[in-house]
Amino acid sequence: MHEIEALLREYDRARAYTDDLWRDLTPDEVTWRPHENSSAIGWHLGHQAHVAHFMIRNLTAAEPSPDPELDGLMDSANPEQFRGALPTVRRLTDFRTTVAERVHARMGDIAAGRVSAPAQLTIVATHLLTALINHEYQHDQWISEVRGNDLGHALPPDPDCAHVRRIDGYLVVDGFQTAVEGS
């Protein structure tokens, strides 16, 4: 169960890095799109949380969406031009916070064995959390490109962590099991 707790800390580190990329931006910068077929930083923020919710919901615990009106908007299967207007920065922030709390609650239940199949769900949870972390970092790359290249803001340093590195230009959590076993 130590691995789930460590992965939750990595999930929080990835989310904190995301926050470093956007929290100092104006609402106009968060909702600005470089061109009509490009997603705004705000969309990526909502999409990261949307995917986390759906992965938790579909793989570990059926539960309703914390904001059903955002589901279609934040689904990458919907082409950009059909997604609709972004919600306020406050609503995006609340959505991200609620989803992260749910991720922690469900993973905490799995780590503590408060589920019907604790051994099986522990395996699911470790892979799910790794995917959520890497998905967060995947969209951080795109947020970074808009922040740095289009909006002209400096980028924060990469997370200072032995098992987070860049592959193909993207931050990824890599070799995490070895790092946890060695600690």
Side-chain angles (χ1 to χ4, degrees), residues 3 7-8 10-11 14 55 107 123-137 171-177:
E3 188 171 8
L7 281 163
L8 281 170
E10 279 311 309
Y11 174 65
M55 288 183 74
M107 295 297 108
I123 293 168
V124 170
T126 57
H127 293 285
L128 187 152
L129 281 168
T130 301
L132 290 182
I133 294 162
N134 288 334
H135 182 257
E136 188 82 12
Y137 284 138
L171 289 169
V172 295
V173 65
D174 184 47
F176 191 80
Q177 281 187 310

Side-chain angles (χ1 to χ4, degrees), residues 49 53-54 63-71 94-95 98-99 102:
H53 162 70
F54 273 89
E63 64 178 26
S65 174
D67 193 335
E69 292 176 12
L70 295 183
D71 290 346
D94 290 347
F95 182 61
T98 300
V99 168
R102 288 182 175 190

Side-chain angles (χ1 to χ4, degrees), residues 131-150:
L132 290 182
I133 294 162
N134 288 334
H135 182 257
E136 188 82 12
Y137 284 138
Q138 176 186 25
H139 285 271
D140 286 349
Q141 180 60 32
W142 299 331
I143 293 169
S144 295
E145 291 169 3
V146 172
R147 176 189 173 90
N149 299 343
D150 297 309

Side-chain angles (χ1 to χ4, degrees), residues 5-178:
E5 293 164 2
L7 281 163
L8 281 170
R9 286 190 299 276
E10 279 311 309
Y11 174 65
D12 291 342
R13 183 190 323 268
R15 290 184 68 255
Y17 182 73
T18 302
D19 287 346
D20 288 345
L21 290 169
W22 77 272
R23 288 258 184 201
D24 64 334
L25 301 178
T26 68
D28 286 342
E29 289 174 316
V30 172
T31 59
W32 177 77
R33 293 171 42 199
H35 54 80
E36 68 181 27
N37 291 319
S38 177
S39 300
I41 287 172
W43 180 84
H44 290 281
L45 298 172
H47 174 74
Q48 288 166 318
H50 171 76
V51 168
H53 162 70
F54 273 89
M55 288 183 74
I56 293 294
R57 183 192 85 174
N58 290 334
L59 299 176
T60 69
E63 64 178 26
S65 174
D67 193 335
E69 292 176 12
L70 295 183
D71 290 346
L73 175 64
M74 299 304 168
D75 188 342
S76 60
N78 293 327
E80 176 66 42
Q81 63 268 28
F82 302 121
R83 290 184 189 153
L86 285 173
T88 65
V89 171
R90 180 81 218 146
R91 188 171 173 194
L92 285 170
T93 302
D94 290 347
F95 182 61
R96 287 178 59 81
T97 299
T98 300
V99 168
E101 289 168 353
R102 288 182 175 190
V103 168
H104 272 270
R106 185 61 179 162
M107 295 297 108
D109 286 345
I110 292 169
R114 293 187 299 265
V115 294
S116 62
Q120 183 267 348
L121 280 176
T122 296
I123 293 168
V124 170
T126 57
H127 293 285
L128 187 152
L129 281 168
T130 301
L132 290 182
I133 294 162
N134 288 334
H135 182 257
E136 188 82 12
Y137 284 138
Q138 176 186 25
H139 285 271
D140 286 349
Q141 180 60 32
W142 299 331
I143 293 169
S144 295
E145 291 169 3
V146 172
R147 176 189 173 90
N149 299 343
D150 297 309
L151 298 174
H153 292 284
L155 297 176
D158 288 352
D160 185 19
C161 182
H163 39 272
V164 173
R165 65 186 182 114
R166 286 200 177 267
I167 298 176
D168 295 333
Y170 292 85
L171 289 169
V172 295
V173 65
D174 184 47
F176 191 80
Q177 281 187 310
T178 305

